[in-house]
C-alpha cells in the first residue's frame, strides 16, 4: 500500500508540510517495498483556486490509498473521500515521524475537513 | 434611458446620488440597486417589499445511472468545478461559472443543470419610486449572475437609475455594460483620484458615455479637477462638504429632503445627462 | 503566522487608512493590499517596487478571422453574450469575441467546427513585491475591465505568506476589498482574524451585519470598530451592540478627523501625523495586540 505525505523536502527527514492543496511536493511511500517517490505539486502551489481538488487528483493518480498531512480543507476532503483515499492529519515534524506514527497505528483518521477552504 | 451611477472607490456617494435622482424623477423612474453585495438603496426609501424572487444559478448535476466515468466533463471544465475521482465525477458548485460546457461535452448525456439559489430580488414601491434590489446570499462568491437577473427587470419605458457596486471588476462591468450613460462619483482626495482614473479606464473600454460628480468638494485638493480638465471629462456636479448632508445620510434621510436647495442641483445634473445622450 | 485582514462591507469607511496605520505601528509585518480592484494602500506607504509579475487569469477565446467560416456555432453556444457578429450581409458574417464579456469557459473553442478559435492565457493584471518604510509589501493591479479578482487576491496573499516565512516575520496585515463576494471571500478564508471597520450610518450598520454573517459563515474570529463614530453616536452604540450579537469583539472607536484627508495628501498614515484619530487608531492597535498575544 502507498501513502502520500505532504512535504517541502526531498527525503524522509524532510518536514511534513501542514498544507494539503498547496503542499510543494508529495512523498509517496510504498509500505511494501519501503521505497518512495516524489511528485512535484508546484503547479498547484501556484494555482490560486481549486488547489485542494487538483492535489487530490494528483494523489489519486499516484495510486496512494492514504494521505498524511497537517490540515485538510473541505474541497480536498470531499475529493479524497470520493477517490476512496483515507486522510490522516498529524502535527509530526517530519515525514519519517509521521510514518512511524502511522506504523504504530497512532494517526487519527480525519472525519471532516478541519480548516476552511482557501479560494 | 439607463443611467448607471458608479465609482472606483467605495463610499463616495453612489447610493446618495442614485436615491436622490430617483426621488426627484418620481414617478417617471425606476431605481435598480445592483450593489448586490452591500445593497443600501432601500434604507433611504420607505415602503415594504411587495415581491420577492429567488434567483438561481445553474450548476451541473450528474445522473450516476447514465455516467460511464469517461471524465470528459472534468477535463473540459476550465474552472476545475468537476473532478474525476473514483467512479463518478465530483461537482464543486462553488467553482462553477455556469457555462454549460459539461452538459454539451458529455457523450452519454448524463449531466443536467439544476438551479442553486444565490440570492434574491426584492421589489418595493416607495413614494412613486419603484425599487428593484438584488441581495446576494452570504458565502456566495459570484455576484454577476444576480446582477444580470436584476437588470432583466429593467423597464425600458422609463428612466432607469442604477446604483452600481464599487470598483472596476466583474460585478461593475456586469452593471455598467449597456447603460446609456455612466456617472462616476468621486471625492477630491488622492484615493478618490486614483480610483476615478481606474473607473475612467473601465468606462472608456466599454465605450459608455460618462461624466464625473465630485462629492464633498472642499475636503481635499484640486487634483481631481485638474485630472478631469486634462482628460476633457465633464464635471457634471459638485456636492459641497456639508455636515447636514452627512448627518442626513447617517440617519437614512435623502439629501433633497434634508437640504432642499440640493434639489435644483440634482435636477441640473439630470438635465446635463439627458442633453449628452 | 498570524494574518489580520481589514474589511468593511460598505466601501469608503476607512479600511486603507487604518491598515496603513497598523503597518506603521506593527513595524515588523508584511503588508498585503488585497483590494486589487481599487488599490489605494500604495498611496500612503509609497512602496519601491522590487519585483513585478504578470498575472494570467484563465483564458480568452480569440477567433482567427481568416479561418472563420461564419457558421455561428460560437454564437449559439456562448452563454455570456460574448460573441459579436460583424455581418456584412448574409453568408458573410465573421464572428469575433468581446474580451470584456468572455468568461474563458472554452465552449466556443470546443464547438467551432473548423477549430478557428484560439484560447490563449489571458493577461489580467500584475502583482508586485515592494519595499516600504514599514517592511515588505505585496500589492497588485487588476487590468482595466479584467476579471478574476479573487484569483489575484489569492496570489497576493500567498506571496505575502511566502515572504513572511522567508523574512521570519510572524504577522501579515491585509487591506481587504469592500463587499462580501468573490474577492472578499478570497481575502478572508483561512485568516487568523478579521477587523471590520465600519461607520455610524444606516448603510454602515446594514453592511456590517452582512460582513459579520460572512465571517461567521467561514468561522473567522472578528473584531469590529466604528470609524467617524462621533458623526452619529446613537448609531455607533446600535452598531456596537449588533456587532456583539454577531460574535464580533469591539476594539474601540475612531473619531471623525479632517486630518485623514490631509494625511492622504501628504502620503502619510494617520499615526504619523499629529491627530486625534491617530491616537484612537493606536488604542485600537494596542487592544488587538493584547488580544492576539
Amino acid at each position: 500500500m502507498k501513502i502520500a505525505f505532504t512535504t517541502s523536502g526531498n527525503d524522509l527527514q524532510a518536514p511534513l508540510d501542514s498544507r494539503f492543496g498547496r503542499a510543494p511536493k508529495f512523498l509517496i511511500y510504498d509500505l511494501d517495498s519501503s521505497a518512495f517517490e516524489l511528485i512535484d505539486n508546484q503547479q498547484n502551489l501556484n494555482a490560486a483556486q481549486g488547489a485542494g481538488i487538483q492535489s487530490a487528483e494528483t494523489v489519486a493518480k499516484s495510486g496512494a490509498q492514504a494521505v498524511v498531512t497537517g490540515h485538510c480543507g473541505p474541497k480536498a476532503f470531499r475529493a479524497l473521500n470520493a477517490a476512496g483515499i483515507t486522510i490522516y492529519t498529524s502535527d509530526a515534524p517530519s515525514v519519517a515521524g509521521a510514518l512511524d506514527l502511522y506504523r504504530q497505528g497512532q494517526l487519527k483518521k480525519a472525519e471532516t475537513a478541519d480548516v476552511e477552504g482557501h479560494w | 434611458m439607463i443611467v448607471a451611477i458608479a465609482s472606483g472607490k467605495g463610499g463616495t456617494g453612489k447610493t446618495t446620488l442614485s436615491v436622490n435622482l430617483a426621488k426627484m424623477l418620481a414617478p417617471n423612474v425606476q431605481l435598480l440597486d445592483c450593489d448586490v453585495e452591500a445593497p443600501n438603496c432601500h434604507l433611504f426609501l420607505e415602503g415594504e417589499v411587495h415581491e420577492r424572487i429567488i434567483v438561481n444559478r445553474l450548476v451541473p448535476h450528474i445522473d450516476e445511472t447514465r455516467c460511464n466515468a469517461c471524465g470528459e466533463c472534468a477535463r473540459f471544465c476550465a474552472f476545475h468545478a468537476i473532478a474525476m475521482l473514483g467512479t463518478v465525477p465530483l461537482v464543486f458548485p462553488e467553482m462553477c461559472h455556469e457555462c454549460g460546457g459539461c452538459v454539451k461535452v458529455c457523450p452519454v448525456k448524463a449531466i443536467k443543470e439544476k438551479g442553486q439559489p444565490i440570492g434574491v430580488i426584492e421589489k418595493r414601491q416607495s413614494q412613486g419610486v419603484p425599487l428593484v434590489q438584488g441581495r446576494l446570499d452570504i458565502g456566495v462568491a459570484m455576484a454577476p449572475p444576480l446582477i444580470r437577473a436584476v437588470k432583466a427587470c429593467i423597464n425600458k419605458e422609463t428612466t432607469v437609475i442604477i446604483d452600481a457596486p464599487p470598483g472596476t471588476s466583474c460585478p461593475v462591468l456586469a452593471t455598467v455594460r449597456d447603460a446609456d450613460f455612466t456617472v462616476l462619483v468621486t471625492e477630491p482626495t488622492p484615493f478618490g483620484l486614483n480610483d476615478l482614473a481606474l473607473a475612467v479606464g473601465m468606462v472608456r473600454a466599454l465605450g459608455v458615455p460618462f461624466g464625473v460628480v465630485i462629492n464633498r468638494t472642499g475636503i481635499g485638493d484640486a487634483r481631481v479637477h485638474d485630472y478631469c480638465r486634462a482628460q476633457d471629462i465633464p464635471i457634471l456636479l459638485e456636492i459641497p462638504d456639508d455636515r447636514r448632508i452627512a448627518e442626513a445620510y447617517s440617519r437614512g434621510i435623502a439629501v433633497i429632503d434634508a437640504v432642499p436647495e440640493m434639489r435644483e442641483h440634482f435636477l441640473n445634473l439630470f438635465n446635463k445627462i439627458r442633453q449628452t445622450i | 503566522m498570524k494574518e489580520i485582514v481589514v474589511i468593511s462591507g460598505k466601501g469608503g469607511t476607512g479600511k486603507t487608512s487604518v491598515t496603513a496605520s497598523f503597518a506603521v505601528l506593527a513595524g515588523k509585518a508584511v503588508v498585503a493590499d488585497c483590494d486589487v480592484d481599487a488599490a489605494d494602500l500604495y498611496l500612503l506607504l509609497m512602496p519601491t517596487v522590487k519585483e513585478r509579475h504578470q498575472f494570467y487569469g484563465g483564458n480568452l477565446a480569440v477567433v482567427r478571422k481568416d479561418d472563420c467560416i461564419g457558421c455561428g456555432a460560437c454564437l449559439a453556444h456562448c452563454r455570456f453574450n460574448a460573441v459579436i457578429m460583424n455581418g456584412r450581409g448574409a453568408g458573410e458574417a465573421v464572428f469575433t469575441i468581446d474580451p470584456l464579456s468572455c468568461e474563458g469557459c472554452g465552449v466556443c473553442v470546443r464547438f467551432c467546427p473548423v477549430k478557428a478559435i484560439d484560447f490563449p492565457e489571458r493577461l489580467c493584471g500584475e502583482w508586485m513585491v515592494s519595499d516600504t518604510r514599514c517592511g515588505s509589501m505585496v500589492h497588485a493591479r487588476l487590468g482595466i475591465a479584467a476579471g478574476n479578482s479573487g484569483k489575484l487576491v489569492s496570489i497576493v496573499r500567498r506571496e505575502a505568506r511566502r515572504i513572511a516565512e522567508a523574512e521570519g516575520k510572524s504577522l501579515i496585515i491585509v487591506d481587504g476589498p469592500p463587499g462580501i463576494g468573490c474577492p472578499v471571500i478570497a481575502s478572508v478564508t483561512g485568516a487568523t482574524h478579521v477587523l471590520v471597520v465600519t461607520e455610524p450610518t444606516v448603510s454602515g450598520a446594514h453592511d456590517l451585519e452582512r460582513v459579520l454573517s460572512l465571517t461567521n459563515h467561514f468561522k473567522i474570529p472578528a473584531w469590529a470598530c466604528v470609524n467617524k463614530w462621533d458623526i452619529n453616536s446613537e448609531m455607533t452604540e446600535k452598531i456596537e451592540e449588533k456587532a456583539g450579537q454577531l460574535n464580533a469583539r469591539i476594539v474601540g472607536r475612531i473619531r471623525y478627523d479632517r486630518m485623514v484627508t490631509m494625511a492622504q495628501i501628504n502620503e502619510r498614515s494617520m499615526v504619523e501625523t499629529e491627530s486625534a484619530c491617530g491616537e484612537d487608531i493606536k488604542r485600537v492597535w494596542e487592544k488587538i495586540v493584547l488580544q492576539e498575544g
Side-chain angles (χ1 to χ4, degrees):
Chain A
M1 179 185 146
K2 289 180 179 173
I3 307 176
F5 294 88
T6 51
T7 184
S8 50
N10 294 316
D11 52 36
L12 293 172
Q13 271 58 57
L16 183 73
D17 202 282
S18 67
R19 300 162 297 178
F20 175 71
R22 291 192 172 79
K25 285 170 203 168
F26 295 110
L27 186 152
I28 313 290
Y29 187 85
D30 190 331
L31 286 174
D32 305 321
S33 65
S34 296
F36 66 83
E37 59 168 330
L38 287 161
I39 299 179
D40 192 72
N41 195 39
Q42 199 64 33
Q43 203 182 341
N44 280 337
L45 184 61
N46 291 323
Q49 286 156 309
I53 304 167
Q54 289 165 69
S55 290
E57 286 180 313
T58 304
V59 168
K61 272 189 207 130
S62 78
Q65 287 166 276
V67 162
V68 183
T69 185
H71 299 285
C72 186
K75 293 197 204 82
F77 188 88
R78 264 189 74 202
L80 289 168
N81 245 347
I85 297 169
T86 314
I87 305 149
Y88 298 95
T89 51
S90 168
D91 53 6
S94 68
V95 173
L99 181 60
D100 281 346
L101 290 172
Y102 176 82
R103 284 197 168 121
Q104 294 158 21
Q106 304 227 342
L107 285 184
K108 230 183 128 195
K109 272 188 201 174
E111 301 295 337
T112 56
D114 68 340
V115 285
E116 281 297 326
H118 269 275
W119 277 65
Chain B
M1 180 170 88
I2 302 171
V3 180
I5 314 292
S7 75
K9 182 177 177 335
T12 54
K14 281 182 297 297
T15 302
T16 301
L17 192 58
S18 306
V19 167
N20 282 284
L21 275 177
K23 282 190 96 149
M24 199 189 61
L25 296 171
N28 303 311
V29 72
Q30 183 189 33
L31 178 59
L32 259 57
D33 194 342
C34 284
D35 188 0
V36 300
E37 295 179 44
N40 292 143
C41 283
H42 67 291
L43 301 170
F44 301 87
L45 293 162
E46 287 157 24
E48 293 301 308
V49 175
H50 63 76
E51 193 183 348
R52 191 173 263 119
I53 308 160
I54 292 173
V55 177
N56 290 306
R57 65 189 196 108
L58 297 172
V59 296
H61 181 83
I62 294 171
D63 179 349
E64 298 185 11
T65 59
R66 285 184 170 225
C67 175
N68 64 359
C70 70
E72 187 59 15
C73 51
R75 277 191 293 280
F76 177 78
C77 181
F79 310 107
H80 308 295
I82 306 182
M84 192 59 214
L85 292 148
T87 53
V88 183
L90 198 59
V91 178
F92 293 87
E94 63 271 48
M95 313 285 286
C96 175
H97 284 230
E98 288 189 277
C99 73
C102 52
V103 176
K104 291 173 180 165
V105 302
C106 176
V108 294
K109 302 208 178 326
I111 307 180
K112 283 198 171 63
E113 289 175 295
K114 287 198 169 171
Q116 185 189 52
I118 54 165
V120 292
I121 290 177
E122 294 171 346
K123 295 187 179 177
R124 293 168 208 256
Q125 185 73 34
S126 160
Q127 299 148 323
V129 179
L131 169 65
V132 182
Q133 184 168 56
R135 181 178 290 274
L136 192 69
D137 286 348
I138 304 296
V140 172
M142 283 171 231
L146 178 56
I147 291 170
R148 287 194 283 269
V150 174
K151 284 178 77 181
C153 301
I154 281 179
N155 172 8
K156 290 203 170 111
E157 307 299 309
T158 189
T159 301
V160 182
I161 306 288
I162 307 183
D163 189 6
T168 57
S169 67
C170 330
V172 191
L173 287 178
T175 304
V176 171
R177 181 186 307 281
D178 53 54
D180 296 305
F181 191 90
T182 295
V183 177
L184 298 177
V185 191
T186 189
E187 54 183 38
T189 65
F191 287 6
L193 173 60
N194 183 67
D195 301 348
L196 172 65
L198 295 170
V200 166
M202 175 196 67
V203 287
R204 281 187 174 151
L206 284 171
V208 175
F210 68 99
V212 164
V213 167
I214 303 177
N215 195 4
R216 300 188 199 106
T217 295
I219 62 167
D221 55 14
R223 282 182 263 183
V224 168
H225 293 82
D226 295 344
Y227 168 84
C228 289
R229 209 172 301 122
Q231 293 279 324
D232 209 13
I233 298 167
I235 296 174
L236 304 168
L237 171 67
E238 297 194 41
I239 302 172
D241 181 37
D242 184 330
R243 192 162 175 113
R244 287 177 301 167
I245 296 177
E247 278 176 12
Y249 176 82
S250 82
R251 285 169 221 287
I253 298 165
V255 178
I256 55 170
D257 294 334
V259 189
E261 68 259 31
M262 285 304 297
R263 177 177 281 270
E264 200 189 321
H265 295 294
F266 287 121
L267 194 61
N268 281 337
L269 165 68
F270 182 71
N271 286 333
K272 281 185 196 164
I273 294 170
R274 201 161 46 186
Q275 280 159 19
T276 313
I277 302 172
Chain C
M1 181 81 60
K2 306 218 158 149
E3 189 182 21
I4 298 173
V5 186
V6 183
I7 54 172
S8 66
K10 180 182 180 321
T13 61
K15 277 185 301 297
T16 302
S17 296
V18 169
T19 308
S21 295
F22 283 2
V24 170
L25 291 169
K28 289 179 190 164
V30 172
V31 185
D33 190 351
C34 284
D35 189 0
V36 298
D37 205 5
D40 288 339
L41 189 59
Y42 83 96
L43 294 167
L44 299 182
L45 297 184
M46 301 311 280
T48 311
V49 176
K50 288 192 300 187
E51 293 172 28
R52 266 177 206 282
H53 301 265
Q54 290 184 322
F55 163 58
Y56 286 91
N59 300 71
L60 176 69
V62 183
V63 179
R64 289 193 309 279
K65 274 197 179 136
D66 295 342
D67 296 330
C68 174
I69 55 167
C71 71
C74 49
L75 182 72
H77 282 289
C78 178
R79 282 219 180 141
F80 304 99
N81 295 322
V83 180
I84 305 163
M85 186 166 67
N86 315 296
R88 285 187 228 97
E92 279 186 286
V94 169
F95 294 88
T96 51
I97 312 280
D98 170 15
L100 298 182
S101 298
C102 178
E103 190 86 0
C105 66
V107 170
C108 59
V109 179
R110 169 75 171 237
F111 288 96
C112 175
V114 293
K115 302 274 168 261
I117 307 178
D118 292 331
F119 203 41
E121 275 198 291
R122 178 179 199 159
L123 183 63
C124 283
E126 60 174 352
W127 56 271
M128 293 145 282
V129 179
S130 301
D131 274 333
T132 74
R133 61 182 181 279
C134 27
S136 295
M137 170 173 175
V138 186
H139 48 131
R141 182 189 293 268
L142 196 65
I144 283 178
N148 268 309
S149 53
K151 195 170 171 183
L152 184 53
V153 165
S154 299
I155 291 175
V156 168
R157 281 184 72 198
R158 185 195 72 207
E159 286 304 310
R161 181 166 279 269
R162 192 182 57 75
I163 290 166
E165 277 166 8
E167 293 179 354
K169 303 269 176 72
S170 57
L171 178 65
I172 300 169
I173 300 172
V174 180
D175 191 9
I180 60 162
C182 170
V184 181
I185 294 173
S187 297
V188 301
T189 45
T192 325
H193 253 108
V194 156
L195 170 66
V196 182
V197 176
T198 188
E199 61 176 33
T201 63
V202 285
S203 308
H206 177 263
D207 299 343
L208 172 95
E209 264 191 71
R210 284 172 67 74
V211 85
L212 287 179
S213 303
L214 186 80
T215 56
N216 285 331
H217 179 90
F218 286 109
K219 303 186 188 74
I220 308 157
W223 296 307
C225 126
V226 180
N227 189 15
K228 308 174 208 167
W229 73 269
D230 44 342
I231 282 189
N232 187 334
S233 56
E234 215 177 305
M235 186 66 81
T236 296
E237 276 167 35
K238 266 193 218 161
I239 287 176
E240 289 175 345
E241 195 187 320
K242 191 78 214 177
Q245 287 164 4
L246 290 165
N247 307 321
R249 288 181 77 156
I250 307 300
V251 286
R253 297 173 171 183
I254 302 167
R255 74 194 88 171
Y256 176 74
D257 193 335
R258 285 185 168 245
M259 285 302 290
V260 172
T261 306
M262 291 320 291
Q264 240 181 62
I265 289 168
N266 295 324
E267 297 158 0
R268 283 275 167 265
S269 73
M270 290 315 300
V271 293
E272 293 165 300
T273 52
E274 292 241 339
S275 64
C277 93
E279 293 304 311
D280 292 341
I281 295 175
K282 268 182 211 163
R283 272 191 288 276
V284 170
W285 177 246
E286 281 157 15
K287 207 156 188 175
I288 283 176
V289 171
L290 209 67
Q291 292 192 8
E292 262 299 306

